[in-house]
Amino acid sequence: MNLRAEFTTEPFEGEGEPPTHAAVARDVLRESGLEPEFGPLGTAISGEREVVLTALSNVLERTLEAGADRITMQVSVDDTPEDS
């Protein structure tokens, strides 16, 4: 089963470089073998259930350590057909 997760980390710091906690989230996902869709208002990933859930657990822990004071997350089953 594949999952899709979208989340934001706060506080927002306006324009320019992403806040440290957002960059940490992106890097944790890449370390997990996922390539996030990283944008100014949030991050999204899709992948195998076990990989996504483990990565999200690490994101929560590491972004809080990096200064995030709120993480808003939505996780859903990704029923997009895979390419044959």
Side-chain angles (χ1 to χ4, degrees):
M1 172 189 313
N2 285 342
L3 299 178
R4 178 159 178 87
E6 299 175 33
F7 64 90
T8 59
T9 60
E10 296 178 46
F12 296 115
E13 296 179 5
E15 294 185 26
E17 293 296 314
T20 300
H21 52 80
V24 165
R26 177 196 60 210
D27 295 345
V28 167
L29 295 170
R30 287 180 176 162
E31 290 167 10
S32 299
L34 298 167
E35 187 53 47
E37 299 167 29
F38 184 74
L41 298 178
T43 302
I45 55 168
S46 295
E48 293 181 17
R49 178 181 184 269
E50 296 79 17
V51 174
V52 169
L53 293 178
T54 299
L56 291 175
S57 177
N58 291 332
V59 164
L60 292 171
E61 185 173 338
R62 302 241 328 255
T63 56
L64 290 169
E65 290 173 355
D69 60 14
R70 178 186 304 228
I71 303 162
T72 305
M73 185 176 298
Q74 177 176 319
V75 179
S76 56
V77 173
D78 185 359
D79 57 3
T80 305
E82 294 184 28
D83 294 337
S84 303

